[in-house]
């Protein structure tokens, strides 16, 4: 069974004639006769009652007609979603928690206002989880720590983040990892690129963090740091957005480690119209 057969079946059902249906679908009558017979053979039922030069739907044909119409309507809707003048349909976006909280709220608001027919969905998580979602197809695109060199992905740099090491209020200045060798740290799960960056900063100075406490949010990390329970690494933009950031000490990492770039990535060759519309908004200057 294929879409062409369904279109032929609908045409015959509407006209009651192979000849007239052939004109509707721009095929020769013999081709319609053959394809309808093939469809009936596939289904194992007679779809039409044949009366001399006329064809009437059989009881099975009436039941099948409803489903064939629904299938063809869904196909037309899908075609409109991907090729219509106004972007619409599902757009699933992934983002780092800091990006979702600080960088993109205004863009998302303008996106929803400008394209009300798009069904928007946002998921947050570490870079590894977001990349997996894009590769699996559950996410249309995602903001991750870049650059991303995976052959199955395309992307573009969007934001530059200044990485800050955060300590309890009154803590002596931290200039290098050996200054805090053995100190407990708070971080996301192991597939978080910021956590790997933090651990690499220690390793490059031949130092080792103490216990690594896995957290689910920056707010939780900050609360633990304020309590004097350890250190955290987070983007300056995220830190300065949170209540309580005045209750800690914070310093940028040394220049080699200081900056990380957030990329927007998507599957190679799969830039949808919804994604193109989103990228256009990213390129627009922020509202006054």
């Amino acid at each position: 069974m294929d879409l062409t057969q369904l279109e032929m079946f609908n045409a015959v059902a509407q006209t009651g004639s192979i000849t007239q249906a052939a004109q509707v679908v721009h095929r020769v009558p013999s081709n319609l006769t053959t394809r309808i017979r093939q469809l009936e053979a596939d289904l194992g039922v007679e779809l039409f009652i044949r009366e001399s030069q006329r064809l009437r739907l059989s009881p099975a044909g009436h039941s099948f007609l409803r489903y064939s119409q629904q299938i063809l309507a869904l196909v037309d809707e899908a075609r409109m979603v991907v090729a219509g003048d106004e972007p619409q349909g599902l757009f699933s976006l992934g983002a780092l928690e800091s990006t979702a909280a600080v960088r993109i709220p205004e863009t998302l608001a303008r996106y929803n206002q400008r394209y009300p027919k798009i069904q928007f969905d946002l998921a947050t998580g570490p870079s590894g989880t977001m990349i997996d979602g894009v590769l699996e197809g559950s996410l249309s695109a995602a903001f991750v720590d870049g650059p991303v060199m995976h052959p199955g992905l395309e992307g573009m740099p969007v934001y530059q983040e200044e990485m800050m090491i955060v300590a309890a209020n009154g803590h002596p200045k931290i200039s290098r990892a050996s200054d805090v060798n053995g100190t407990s740290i708070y971080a996301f799960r192991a597939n978080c690129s910021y956590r790997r960056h933090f651990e690499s900063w220690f390793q490059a100075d031949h130092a080792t963090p103490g216990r690594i406490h896995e957290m689910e949010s920056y707010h939780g990390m900050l609360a633990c740091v304020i309590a004097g329970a350890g250190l955290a690494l987070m983007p300056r933009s995220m830190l300065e957005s949170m209540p309580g950031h005045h209750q800690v000490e914070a310093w940028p990492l040394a220049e080699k480690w200081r900056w990380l770039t957030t990329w927007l990535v998507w599957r190679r060759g799969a830039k949808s119209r919804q994604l193109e519309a989103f990228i256009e908004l990213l390129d627009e200057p922020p509202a006054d």
Side-chain angles (χ1 to χ4, degrees):
M1 183 192 310
D2 57 36
L3 293 178
T4 300
Q5 285 176 310
L6 294 183
E7 291 170 347
M8 291 178 174
F9 166 74
N10 277 19
V12 174
Q14 291 169 3
T15 63
S17 164
I18 290 288
T19 302
Q20 293 179 35
Q23 294 174 353
V24 172
V25 296
H26 308 291
R27 298 293 182 96
V28 297
S30 59
N31 182 243
L32 256 72
T33 299
T34 301
R35 299 300 297 275
I36 294 295
R37 288 293 188 187
Q38 289 174 345
L39 179 59
E40 291 177 320
D42 289 343
L43 295 173
V45 295
E46 294 283 335
L47 296 174
F48 293 98
I49 300 172
R50 291 161 172 85
E51 299 176 335
S52 62
Q53 300 300 314
R54 299 290 300 174
L55 283 81
R56 290 191 298 112
L57 285 170
S58 68
H62 278 289
S63 298
F64 187 70
L65 178 62
R66 291 188 297 110
Y67 290 103
S68 69
Q69 289 172 334
Q70 291 174 7
I71 292 169
L72 293 175
L74 286 172
V75 171
D76 288 340
E77 180 181 340
R79 287 170 176 161
M80 182 175 62
V81 165
V82 300
D85 292 335
E86 181 179 355
Q88 54 188 296
L90 178 63
F91 179 57
S92 299
L93 180 67
L96 302 170
E97 182 182 346
S98 56
T99 306
V102 179
R103 295 293 190 180
I104 61 174
E106 181 183 339
T107 302
L108 297 183
R110 286 187 288 130
Y111 189 70
N112 284 328
Q113 292 167 2
R114 190 171 300 181
Y115 304 107
K117 292 184 179 180
I118 291 178
Q119 181 185 347
F120 177 78
D121 183 50
L122 177 66
T124 60
S127 286
T129 301
M130 297 297 97
I131 289 173
D132 288 344
V134 173
L135 290 171
E136 293 167 0
S138 59
L139 295 175
S140 307
F143 289 100
V144 300
D145 178 36
V148 178
M149 308 306 292
H150 193 286
L153 297 175
E154 295 179 289
M156 56 184 282
V158 185
Y159 307 114
Q160 192 172 43
E161 299 291 359
E162 184 180 19
M163 303 307 296
M164 308 290 289
I165 187 165
V166 186
N169 198 25
H171 194 288
K173 182 178 180 179
I174 300 173
S175 300
R176 52 188 298 178
S178 58
D179 294 340
V180 288
N181 185 45
T183 304
S184 295
I185 66 173
Y186 292 84
F188 290 115
R189 297 185 297 275
N191 62 347
C192 172
S193 57
Y194 288 174
R195 170 173 169 173
R196 293 196 299 269
H197 190 73
F198 203 7
E199 292 178 294
S200 296
W201 176 74
F202 272 95
Q203 294 166 5
D205 201 26
H206 305 289
T208 306
R211 184 176 177 183
I212 301 176
H213 302 272
E214 294 189 353
M215 306 292 289
E216 295 297 324
S217 72
Y218 283 114
H219 291 84
M221 292 182 201
L222 185 62
C224 292
V225 172
I226 290 173
L231 309 173
L233 182 74
M234 59 185 70
R236 180 190 287 273
S237 60
M238 185 68 202
L239 174 63
E240 294 181 348
S241 75
M242 292 189 291
H245 72 276
H246 293 299
Q247 302 176 48
V248 296
E249 305 286 351
W251 305 273
L253 296 184
E255 197 62 29
K256 178 182 176 181
W257 304 93
R258 184 172 180 174
W259 302 99
L260 291 176
T261 303
T262 301
W263 280 56
L264 179 66
V265 300
W266 56 90
R267 280 176 295 160
R268 184 171 298 279
K271 186 188 284 187
S272 65
R273 299 198 66 222
Q274 297 96 322
L275 176 56
E276 289 176 345
F278 185 74
I279 291 173
E280 288 176 5
L281 282 180
L282 286 177
D283 292 335
E284 288 184 5
D288 294 333

